[in-house]
Amino acid sequence: MQCLTQLTPPTAVSHCVSLPFLSSSANNLIVAKNSLLQVFSLKSIVSDAPDTTGKTRSKPARRERVQNTKLVLVAQHELSGTITGLSRVKIIRSKSGGEALLVALKDAKLSLAEWDPERYGISTISIHYYEREDLQGIPWAPTVGQCANHLTVDPSSRCAVLKFGARHIAILPFHQAGDDLVMGDYDADTNSNHPKSTDSATKGANGEANLQPAYGASFVLSLLALDPSLIHPIHLTFLHGYREPTFGVLSSQVAASASLLHERRDPLSYTVYTLDLEQRESTTLLSITKLPYDLHTILPLPAPIGGALLVGLNEIIHVDQSGKTNGVAVNEFTLKSTGFSLPSEAHLGLRLEGCIIEQLGTPNGDMLIVLRSGDLAILHFRIDGRSVSGLSVHPVQNNENHVLSTGASCSASVGRGRIFVGSEDGDSVVLGWLSGANKLKRRRSFADMNLDESISVEDLFAEGEDLEDEDDLYSTEKVAGEAPIQSDSPTEDGSVDYSFRIHDSLVSLAPLADVKLVSARPVLKDGKGRSQQDAPKQELLVTTGHGRASALTKLSPGIVPYTSKSYGLANVQSAWSSLTKNANKCIIITSGSEDYGEEQSHAYTLSAGGVEELPDGDFDPTAGATVAVGTLDSGSRIVQVLKNEIRAYDEDFSLAQIFPLSEDPAPADLNVIAASFAETYVLLTMDDSSIRILKADEAGDLEEVEQGEMLSKGKWVSGSLFDDSNDVFRLETDEEDEDEEGGSMLMFLLTTEGGLQIFRLSSLKKPIYTATSLSFLPAFLSDDFTVRRSAAKETIAEIIVTEIGDSVSKAPYMILRSATDDLTIYQPYQTPQGNGSGSSLRFLKSATRRTSKSTLDGDSSDSEQRAQALQALHDLDGYSTVFMSGISPSVIIKSASSTPEIVPLDVSSMKSVSSFQSQDTVRSFLYVDDQGDLKSAQLPPDSSYISGWRSQKLFSGDEIVAFDYHEKTDRYVLGTNQKATFKLPEDELHPEWSGEAGDSYPLELGEVIMCIKTMSLEVSEHTHARQPLIAVGTSLIQGEDLPAKGRIYIFDIINVVPEPGFPETGLKLKLIAKEEVKGAVTSLTEIGTEGFLLAAQGQKCMVRGLKEDGTLLPVAFIDTQCYVTTAKELDGTGLCILADAVKGVWFAGYTEDPYQLRLFGKSAQHIEVVAAEFMPDGENLYIIAVDAEGIMHVLQFEPHNPKSLTGQRLLHLSSYNTGAYPSIMTLLPQPPTFNPPPPADPDAMDTSTPTPTHIPFSILLTSQTGSISLLTSLSPASYRTLSALQAYLTNTLPHPLALNARAYRAVEADQTIGGRAILDGDVLKRWMELGSWKRVEGVGRAGMEAESEVRELLDQVAGGGLGLLRGI
């Protein structure tokens, strides 16, 4: 009984499309990452280019300006399906006024969606299934799931075609205003087609619009019905410039094959058909035969070029509308593989496998070619009149500065001079380009403009200015990281040169390959070791990317603060820092209890040795405990909020004012518990649930603002001030108050009943927005939302409204903290009103899936005592964040291309946190740990938080094929590939060892590293001493006609005298053993208890022992008759898994007396195994295997079951569709057992019988899409609870694109024996998306008594088992 949960979303971009989605005038980019659909908007940013010359100038230099296009995430949806295609469709009507999105999914599904402004997300218009069994042809034909789907849409949006199965197409018509498909437009009497109305909606008798659907009835045709010659279709797409829907098909009557070129030379044909949607017939317009066998893609070309581009592996051919062909051969293999007449440019030596070609949008029709290696080339068309007379390809000169590090998977034009290039092997980028023709046109540049701060970037470019910055182009200075590269193209053929540079990128971790758990050894900034209490126990190291994008990346689900200094102060409860405006010195104010119990505050200044307390002066330590410290009027006033008075200090930190909160000098029961600062206002929350509002006048003195009757009589729990200067909330303003000061200042108040009220500080008579049902935490919060017949409210303790984001994009969010420290994030948005008179404010609930410690432990006393645990910190390493202190500290962090993520902080506790402003450390924060010590810290450098985990690339350069961690020397051992000069008969790859600026061990040419493993091997036959050594398996590629060979290397890392000035060279690789074997060494693992290793070599698996003479002695073996791809042992047991892509899974055992490797059982079905691992579960032992289709299989060795034939067959218990191609599976170390508390009497004997507890094991699964998943074993009781909860969530939660979550995970033709199905953790982790009243109902459906019990189970399957990674 297991549950699979996706911990990080996929990051590999597989498909993209650009369209006006949010509105008719918007420019949006839709990106598909396997099962994740993201909607981006584009934002232009103008900034100063850095001066990298380092020269001093006598005259002020011209201001260099550079303009970048950035991607800003608008929304994302996790789908219950794998996306195989995206296309834009213009429909007759949409909710947003923009175009619709057509999504193709695996197993022949189509979903038509639009943007819904009311729900601020994607809304499904229709979904279409084409999985009927009667569409299957001959019995041995491939199924729908085994065939690749392809989606294409008519450029005029008249219909879409989905090619699925072997030879079937589904045609989906779309209604357009005035065409023949609109219902009621066809007049049968006159036998003519004419539109009855220019509008897309007609009025009925009641005056309401009779809305026509956006689509017509779809139908399925066989390609053989269109043309009997379409036996082997390769590709099809719609073409531009035709009055009727017209598409081209690339096909052959016999299967194309490179090995049969002497018999099947040029077997392909290109045919153009026009489609009659009413008659469901087609007409052939043209056909071209005897095309090269390696053509694989058709690219439709709009005017002025027109026609289609046929792309092959070695050539590119253009076909115009009349059937005239022109092409170009790009390497020397073209003339050898085809008889088609093509001009040769063999000197280019280009390989077009996996290339992407995108239009640049220039008048001459030039196109950009992105090769698999990441290199760029320009395809130029020679125009003779109105027709194409020739093609030429010009590589982009890289000058050793590659713009793209890897190949592309998709591309889309996102505006003038901008192309988005998606990749599955590295980061996706927004690529900017400028042609030489535009360079010659000198336009008004940013340097010639007297830029005003009030002028926006959009206004500047709306005047017709070029999107590329001419100052950057004309500048003779080289800007670091932004140096443009130009294409090496001659000018005599009419081509022009282009310059390219990267504007923005989407961080990708795909593909994830090898995974290792390593011990973390964090250090302080001064080099001293950090205490184990603050350090995580282990971290995750993975290899990411391909080619030049390959890197060794460190991943962690939490953030370890990079501690800069510990100040050694005692008994500190809270701390704040402020930078004085005139004196320019940092003031630190602390609050805490003295040894005798009295609460005091202290002020310190920074010094070289740490902090020094301010001498006696205006600051009074005996005034009492400090509640909050803030600044007003851009730092001209530093305000210290005490429990019963306010103290204001001027720019020199001299006392300027004491503002008592009561006329009584010693109030008994009226204290400040929280404060909020904004501009010149201070909001105070009192302990009697009242509020006080103060305002600083022009002189800086604080005055109390008069409140209205509603405010003075109301009871408030918490409040927050927010300066809505950008009018994001768009709340109404009284005409009489429009000119008053503070009109943009909003006050958000949380009532004791759990409601939300928003006031404008310019008018406090009545609230301008009220939401009484906030405490129900609905998915969409509005002023008219109500919940009937339910009292299940969440106890909200704190509210804060602030901007979250980075330097590219910031947006306001409303953050709520519950009494149990659960965080809920709401995003404000505007929804149009039904009458079209304006818009109304709503809040969208962001998915919150973090469970606090206080919730799991059932202890909320700490959170109830803290009235202000949320603290907004701005400009923290470029981020505007929100920190939450307490026993489960966390930070809310967001970048422009991601959603807000709640990332836990890997410290035991934080009593308080605040920003730290000083001259030396600007982007830092102060926090008080659980010991009352004050520390300054930073976020980890060079880190990204796109996936919700912290990621940091440690090594990037050559492609990493394998690696391992040597814990004894704290070194990473990497196996990399490097290109070398081609020499016959060796291979062109040159693998080598690469250390961290340390030693390397080169291998022979043509020798490829297959695996690396650190093992504890026996190094002495006499003393039986064991030592951690590094084992490497390689393969020698010698050609097709020679048998493969392999080698096993055993290395040790030894200490040597380092080179002067290079301490990292103090370690060297020492070769202990080198053994050459027959066949490639594909897998290595440690086996048994005597320090032996198991090597999968060729078609055998052999157990070997290391002898003192440096040889590897074989002691046992087993014949597998195939190449084993996975060999793993359950530590110390001798039980091992042998898996391959042909014979499935073998379960074997190794004994040491006598030495024997014996086969126990095999999988009964054919499983193309890619990864496999053991899953212990109590007294049961399961084998988890994942095949090439992403299907996870649960197997078990059970010889007592009659169906296992006395154990010869492994029982197939269940199957589960993971939806991603797997990379590797890793069994995580078993978490520590739970120790029950001791008895009340220490001397008493505990006679109670210990109840057996289920200690779950977990398997970490990485995929080629960049996602990380966790498979967790469950006890029977936990499984039943979560199974009932999954059923409730599946029926309750909305599913994007109307997809079926159950059908997505189910596997057809499942030959299981009725075992328990694997639970879908992706559905379970959406628990926090429910409102409070629905969660109470779900707890009852699951048969539990309290929600805390459910959350404990959810935390277990959603990553709680990764405590070893977080150390919390």
Side-chain angles (χ1 to χ4, degrees):
M1 293 168 286
Q2 301 84 20
C3 178
L4 183 67
T5 307
Q6 189 179 83
L7 301 180
T8 62
T11 57
V13 176
S14 57
H15 302 84
C16 65
V17 64
S18 176
L19 76 162
F21 194 55
L22 270 64
S23 65
S24 58
S25 59
N27 184 16
N28 301 115
L29 176 70
I30 312 294
V31 169
K33 300 178 179 179
N34 193 47
S35 60
L36 183 66
L37 191 67
Q38 294 182 322
V39 182
F40 291 92
S41 62
L42 284 88
K43 181 179 181 181
S44 297
I45 294 180
V46 178
S47 59
D48 293 328
D51 185 7
T52 58
T53 60
K55 300 179 181 179
T56 59
R57 310 186 184 191
S58 57
K59 297 182 180 180
R62 184 179 60 178
R63 184 170 49 175
E64 299 291 343
R65 307 286 285 175
V66 60
Q67 187 269 340
N68 290 318
T69 299
K70 300 294 185 178
L71 296 176
V72 179
L73 182 65
V74 178
Q76 71 177 20
H77 299 273
E78 297 182 3
L79 308 180
S80 298
T82 302
I83 300 174
T84 59
L86 296 176
S87 293
R88 55 187 293 182
V89 177
K90 186 176 182 180
I91 58 179
I92 56 177
R93 183 184 304 101
S94 67
K95 296 179 180 179
S96 64
E99 297 184 4
L101 177 68
L102 188 62
V103 183
L105 299 111
K106 192 177 179 181
D107 296 335
K109 297 183 181 69
L110 279 179
S111 184
L112 184 64
E114 62 181 342
W115 181 260
D116 188 358
E118 294 185 0
R119 304 184 67 85
Y120 205 72
I122 290 180
S123 175
T124 306
I125 299 176
S126 64
I127 186 169
H128 309 268
Y129 291 79
Y130 306 100
E131 301 174 287
R132 296 180 301 172
E133 295 181 359
D134 57 347
L135 296 179
Q136 299 296 326
I138 53 180
W140 54 86
T143 62
V144 173
Q146 294 174 339
C147 298
N149 301 335
H150 175 67
L151 175 65
T152 178
V153 177
D154 176 53
S156 300
S157 298
R158 289 167 291 194
C159 66
V161 168
L162 175 67
K163 187 266 177 185
F164 66 98
R167 301 176 185 87
H168 286 90
I169 58 173
I171 302 175
L172 177 62
F174 298 108
H175 295 161
Q176 300 296 333
D179 63 6
D180 299 340
L181 293 177
V182 178
M183 295 183 179
D185 288 351
Y186 180 77
D187 192 346
D189 296 336
T190 59
N191 195 21
S192 62
N193 299 336
H194 60 87
K196 291 184 178 181
S197 174
T198 57
D199 297 333
S200 57
T202 59
K203 299 292 183 178
N206 55 359
E208 297 181 357
N210 296 323
L211 301 181
Q212 302 291 351
Y215 58 94
S218 63
F219 54 95
V220 176
L221 295 177
S222 173
L223 287 175
L224 297 178
L226 297 179
D227 192 338
S229 64
L230 301 178
I231 300 177
H232 297 280
I234 298 175
H235 195 257
L236 77 156
T237 187
F238 278 99
L239 305 177
H240 295 269
Y242 292 90
R243 297 184 59 184
E244 299 294 335
T246 304
F247 61 93
V249 181
L250 187 65
S251 64
S252 65
Q253 295 188 17
V254 294
S257 174
S259 61
L260 298 176
L261 281 179
H262 60 286
E263 296 182 0
R264 301 179 183 180
R265 193 176 182 87
D266 300 334
L268 303 188
S269 61
Y270 171 71
T271 311
V272 177
Y273 302 92
T274 181
L275 187 62
D276 188 344
L277 297 178
E278 292 187 357
Q279 301 298 328
R280 300 185 179 182
E281 296 178 352
S282 64
T283 304
T284 303
L285 298 184
L286 64 90
S287 180
I288 301 175
T289 59
K290 296 184 178 180
L291 293 174
Y293 83 101
D294 56 354
L295 296 176
H296 55 81
T297 303
I298 306 173
L299 292 179
L301 302 179
I305 303 300
L309 201 66
L310 308 182
V311 183
L313 303 181
N314 308 307
E315 66 281 322
I316 301 175
I317 301 175
H318 175 262
V319 182
D320 62 11
Q321 293 184 355
S322 63
K324 178 184 176 181
T325 60
N326 291 278
V328 59
V330 297
N331 56 45
E332 68 275 13
F333 298 105
T334 307
L335 300 179
K336 299 179 181 180
S337 60
T338 179
F340 195 84
S341 178
L342 292 171
S344 177
E345 294 187 6
H347 64 280
L348 298 176
L350 300 182
R351 303 171 60 182
L352 300 181
E353 293 91 340
C355 72
I356 293 295
I357 302 180
E358 182 62 39
Q359 298 174 2
L360 292 176
T362 57
N364 58 4
D366 287 355
M367 306 185 75
L368 176 66
I369 304 176
V370 182
L371 302 178
R372 178 180 290 180
S373 61
D375 297 328
L376 305 179
I378 301 297
L379 175 63
H380 176 69
F381 297 89
R382 292 190 293 270
I383 307 298
D384 185 7
R386 296 186 177 180
S387 62
V388 177
S389 61
L391 279 69
S392 61
V393 178
H394 312 288
V396 173
Q397 192 176 22
N398 53 38
N399 295 327
E400 298 181 356
N401 182 18
H402 299 281
V403 177
L404 301 180
S405 57
T406 185
S409 59
C410 59
S411 62
S413 177
V414 294
R416 185 179 177 184
R418 305 292 185 270
I419 294 177
F420 175 79
V421 181
S423 176
E424 293 181 317
D425 298 330
D427 295 348
S428 302
V429 301
V430 176
L431 192 64
W433 61 270
L434 191 73
S435 63
N438 289 333
K439 296 181 192 178
L440 299 178
K441 299 177 182 179
R442 175 61 172 169
R443 291 190 177 186
R444 186 166 58 116
S445 65
F446 289 110
D448 300 328
M449 300 177 188
N450 185 13
L451 293 178
D452 185 29
E453 297 298 333
S454 62
I455 301 177
S456 64
V457 177
E458 290 77 6
D459 295 336
L460 291 175
F461 292 104
E463 297 177 1
E465 297 299 325
D466 196 351
L467 290 177
E468 186 66 52
D469 175 31
E470 278 82 0
D471 288 345
D472 179 57
L473 299 173
Y474 286 106
S475 176
T476 58
E477 301 175 8
K478 183 178 180 182
V479 180
E482 297 290 344
I485 62 177
Q486 298 180 354
S487 61
D488 183 17
S489 57
T491 58
E492 59 270 11
D493 62 350
S495 62
V496 295
D497 61 335
Y498 293 86
S499 60
F500 296 88
R501 66 184 181 90
I502 294 177
H503 288 243
D504 197 9
S505 62
L506 296 180
V507 178
S508 175
L509 301 178
L512 295 173
D514 213 353
V515 178
K516 294 294 182 296
L517 289 173
V518 299
S519 299
R521 298 180 183 178
V523 296
L524 295 173
K525 193 174 182 180
D526 56 6
K528 298 180 180 180
R530 181 176 302 171
S531 64
Q532 186 65 24
Q533 183 179 5
D534 291 345
K537 297 179 181 179
Q538 287 185 327
E539 290 178 323
L540 197 65
L541 278 179
V542 296
T543 55
T544 60
H546 273 166
R548 293 190 294 264
S550 181
L552 185 64
T553 304
K554 180 187 295 185
L555 294 176
S556 176
I559 298 178
V560 179
Y562 191 69
T563 303
S564 302
K565 198 173 189 59
S566 179
Y567 297 101
L569 301 180
N571 300 325
V572 179
Q573 294 294 330
S574 303
W576 302 266
S577 70
S578 181
L579 192 64
T580 59
K581 194 171 184 180
N582 284 349
N584 200 18
K585 62 180 179 180
C586 180
I587 303 297
I588 298 178
I589 300 177
T590 64
S591 178
S593 300
E594 300 298 326
D595 295 335
Y596 46 85
E598 182 182 358
E599 294 182 340
Q600 288 189 357
S601 300
H602 299 273
Y604 302 89
T605 58
L606 290 179
S607 63
V611 294
E612 295 180 357
E613 189 169 2
L614 286 177
D616 295 338
D618 294 339
F619 188 87
D620 185 9
T622 62
T626 302
V627 177
V629 176
T631 59
L632 299 180
D633 196 12
S634 302
S636 61
R637 280 289 188 272
I638 300 177
V639 179
Q640 179 191 13
V641 180
L642 302 174
K643 289 186 176 182
N644 50 20
E645 68 179 15
I646 309 296
R647 296 192 172 215
Y649 302 87
D650 59 11
E651 298 173 349
D652 299 324
F653 201 67
S654 298
L655 183 62
Q657 181 187 8
I658 297 179
F659 187 90
L661 297 178
S662 176
E663 296 179 358
D664 187 358
D669 53 357
L670 184 61
N671 294 324
V672 181
I673 60 175
S676 177
F677 304 88
E679 294 297 332
T680 59
Y681 290 90
V682 181
L683 172 63
L684 305 177
T685 304
M686 315 302 291
D687 56 1
D688 64 345
S689 300
S690 63
I691 62 171
R692 304 282 291 273
I693 305 173
L694 306 180
K695 178 184 177 182
D697 57 13
E698 295 181 357
D701 296 332
L702 294 175
E703 298 178 352
E704 187 166 1
V705 178
E706 183 179 355
Q707 303 181 22
E709 183 180 358
M710 182 175 295
L711 275 177
S712 60
K713 294 183 178 180
K715 298 296 182 180
W716 317 102
V717 176
S718 178
S720 177
L721 297 179
F722 178 74
D723 185 10
D724 190 18
S725 57
N726 296 326
D727 197 19
V728 176
F729 291 90
R730 300 182 190 177
L731 296 174
E732 60 180 7
T733 305
D734 295 338
E735 296 181 358
E736 57 185 18
D737 299 327
E738 287 183 356
D739 298 332
E740 292 189 8
E741 186 179 357
S744 63
M745 194 66 61
L746 302 179
M747 179 173 60
F748 294 76
L749 295 178
L750 179 65
T751 66
T752 54
E753 293 81 11
L756 171 67
Q757 291 190 5
I758 305 177
F759 291 83
R760 193 178 296 275
L761 291 185
S762 60
S763 178
L764 298 176
K765 299 178 183 179
K766 62 178 181 179
I768 56 178
Y769 186 87
T770 302
T772 58
S773 302
L774 175 64
S775 58
F776 287 102
L777 302 180
F780 297 91
L781 178 66
S782 61
D783 53 357
D784 56 353
F785 176 81
T786 58
V787 177
R788 300 179 180 178
R789 299 185 301 273
S790 178
K793 293 184 179 181
E794 187 78 22
T795 304
I796 303 177
E798 187 178 356
I799 182 175
I800 184 174
V801 179
T802 185
E803 287 187 340
I804 301 176
D806 55 10
S807 59
V808 175
S809 175
K810 298 178 184 178
Y813 287 87
M814 181 175 66
I815 303 169
L816 308 175
R817 180 181 65 88
S818 69
T820 55
D821 279 357
D822 288 329
L823 295 180
T824 304
I825 306 173
Y826 277 98
Q827 177 185 2
Y829 70 96
Q830 300 293 327
T831 177
Q833 295 183 356
N835 54 12
S837 59
S839 60
S840 60
L841 176 63
R842 286 190 178 184
F843 293 88
L844 173 65
K845 182 180 178 182
S846 298
T848 304
R849 296 166 184 146
R850 296 288 180 181
T851 305
S852 65
K853 281 185 180 179
S854 58
T855 303
L856 299 179
D857 300 339
D859 181 16
S860 60
S861 58
D862 177 72
S863 60
E864 291 176 352
Q865 294 176 1
R866 295 177 296 118
Q868 194 168 9
L870 301 179
Q871 185 69 36
L873 275 64
H874 301 286
D875 196 22
L876 184 62
D877 197 17
Y879 292 98
S880 294
T881 64
V882 173
F883 278 72
M884 183 183 72
S885 57
I887 61 176
S888 55
S890 58
V891 58
I892 303 175
I893 194 167
K894 178 188 182 300
S895 65
S897 56
S898 69
T899 58
E901 299 288 349
I902 304 176
V903 185
L905 295 172
D906 286 343
V907 294
S908 56
S909 177
M910 276 189 178
K911 293 185 177 181
S912 74
V913 62
S914 65
S915 61
F916 185 36
Q917 301 176 0
S918 65
Q919 297 177 354
D920 300 331
T921 307
V922 179
R923 297 177 178 178
S924 302
F925 62 93
L926 288 175
Y927 75 94
V928 180
D929 61 12
D930 56 345
Q931 303 299 323
D933 188 11
L934 179 63
K935 297 179 179 180
S936 62
Q938 300 175 355
L939 292 178
D942 303 325
S943 298
S944 174
Y945 310 94
I946 299 297
S947 61
W949 285 27
R950 184 184 74 88
S951 62
Q952 181 183 9
K953 293 185 177 181
L954 305 178
F955 174 86
S956 182
D958 302 327
E959 182 174 5
I960 303 174
V961 295
F963 88 102
D964 208 338
Y965 175 70
H966 195 263
E967 186 174 2
K968 180 180 178 180
T969 58
D970 191 23
R971 288 296 185 270
Y972 308 114
V973 182
L974 308 179
T976 65
N977 282 346
Q978 291 181 346
K979 285 188 177 181
T981 304
F982 182 78
K983 294 182 180 180
L984 290 175
E986 288 82 8
D987 190 74
E988 63 178 357
L989 295 179
H990 179 200
E992 68 169 16
W993 290 101
S994 293
E996 187 179 10
D999 191 25
S1000 63
Y1001 185 88
L1003 304 180
E1004 293 184 7
L1005 289 175
E1007 188 173 5
V1008 179
I1009 297 174
M1010 304 296 293
C1011 53
I1012 299 177
K1013 187 75 172 180
T1014 300
M1015 305 178 184
S1016 178
L1017 300 181
E1018 182 182 284
V1019 295
S1020 175
E1021 301 177 64
H1022 304 288
T1023 63
H1024 302 287
R1026 301 176 67 169
Q1027 187 176 348
L1029 301 176
I1030 301 169
V1032 183
T1034 66
S1035 173
L1036 277 75
I1037 303 175
Q1038 299 178 338
E1040 298 179 354
D1041 54 343
L1042 295 177
K1045 295 183 180 180
R1047 290 194 181 105
I1048 302 176
Y1049 294 85
I1050 305 297
F1051 290 95
D1052 188 13
I1053 300 180
I1054 60 175
N1055 294 315
V1056 296
V1057 178
E1059 298 179 7
F1062 299 94
E1064 64 274 5
T1065 60
L1067 296 174
K1068 293 292 183 181
L1069 288 170
K1070 179 183 178 181
L1071 181 63
I1072 302 297
K1074 179 180 177 181
E1075 188 81 14
E1076 184 169 328
V1077 298
K1078 295 181 179 180
V1081 180
T1082 56
S1083 185
L1084 293 170
T1085 184
E1086 187 178 352
I1087 192 169
T1089 60
E1090 297 182 353
F1092 290 173
L1093 65 86
L1094 174 66
Q1097 52 186 66
Q1099 298 185 8
K1100 296 180 182 293
C1101 286
M1102 192 169 293
V1103 179
R1104 293 177 176 267
L1106 179 61
K1107 298 181 64 178
E1108 295 181 354
D1109 58 357
T1111 60
L1112 294 172
L1113 177 66
V1115 297
F1117 75 95
I1118 185 174
D1119 287 320
T1120 58
Q1121 301 177 2
C1122 59
Y1123 282 86
V1124 174
T1125 58
T1126 301
K1128 292 188 177 182
E1129 187 223 16
L1130 188 63
D1131 291 344
T1133 63
L1135 302 176
C1136 58
I1137 299 174
L1138 307 177
D1140 66 280
V1142 178
K1143 294 192 175 183
V1145 180
W1146 289 19
F1147 178 54
Y1150 167 72
T1151 59
E1152 297 171 345
D1153 189 16
Y1155 294 119
Q1156 184 179 11
L1157 189 59
R1158 179 182 176 185
L1159 176 65
F1160 291 154
K1162 303 180 181 179
S1163 57
Q1165 299 86 12
H1166 169 69
I1167 303 176
E1168 191 177 352
V1169 180
V1170 177
E1173 186 57 275
F1174 283 106
M1175 169 63 84
D1177 187 5
E1179 297 180 355
N1180 299 320
L1181 180 61
Y1182 301 100
I1183 299 175
I1184 311 298
V1186 186
D1187 61 20
E1189 296 295 329
I1191 307 299
M1192 178 176 290
H1193 306 270
V1194 181
L1195 308 174
Q1196 185 182 18
F1197 176 71
E1198 184 57 60
H1200 301 292
N1201 194 309
K1203 296 183 179 180
S1204 68
L1205 301 180
T1206 65
Q1208 298 182 26
R1209 291 186 178 181
L1210 299 177
L1211 298 181
H1212 195 172
L1213 301 181
S1214 62
S1215 299
Y1216 182 88
N1217 181 22
T1218 64
Y1221 189 88
S1223 297
I1224 197 169
M1225 301 175 70
T1226 304
L1227 179 65
L1228 298 179
Q1230 187 177 12
T1233 58
F1234 172 75
N1235 296 322
D1241 186 2
D1243 299 329
M1245 180 182 297
D1246 186 11
T1247 58
S1248 60
T1249 304
T1251 57
T1253 58
H1254 180 268
I1255 303 175
F1257 279 83
S1258 300
I1259 293 178
L1260 210 61
L1261 173 65
T1262 60
S1263 69
Q1264 296 289 331
T1265 62
S1267 63
I1268 302 177
S1269 301
L1270 184 70
L1271 183 68
T1272 308
S1273 61
L1274 298 173
S1275 64
S1278 300
Y1279 182 88
R1280 288 191 297 268
T1281 300
L1282 293 179
S1283 179
L1285 193 63
Q1286 174 182 320
Y1288 173 75
L1289 292 174
T1290 303
N1291 298 329
T1292 305
L1293 291 171
H1295 301 283
L1297 301 186
L1299 297 175
N1300 191 331
R1302 293 190 184 95
Y1304 175 54
R1305 299 303 185 184
V1307 179
E1308 297 182 0
D1310 192 2
Q1311 301 178 4
T1312 62
I1313 63 169
R1316 298 287 185 91
I1318 299 177
L1319 297 181
D1320 189 357
D1322 293 345
V1323 174
L1324 294 173
K1325 69 182 182 182
R1326 298 178 62 187
W1327 170 257
M1328 294 300 294
E1329 296 183 19
L1330 297 177
S1332 59
W1333 77 101
K1334 289 188 177 181
R1335 293 205 301 267
V1336 172
E1337 181 182 354
V1339 171
R1341 295 286 185 88
M1344 307 297 287
E1345 297 181 357
E1347 186 180 356
S1348 60
E1349 300 176 0
V1350 175
R1351 291 196 180 187
E1352 185 176 357
L1353 294 178
L1354 294 177
D1355 180 73
Q1356 175 183 335
V1357 301
L1362 296 180
L1364 291 175
L1365 296 178
R1366 295 200 298 262
I1368 59 176

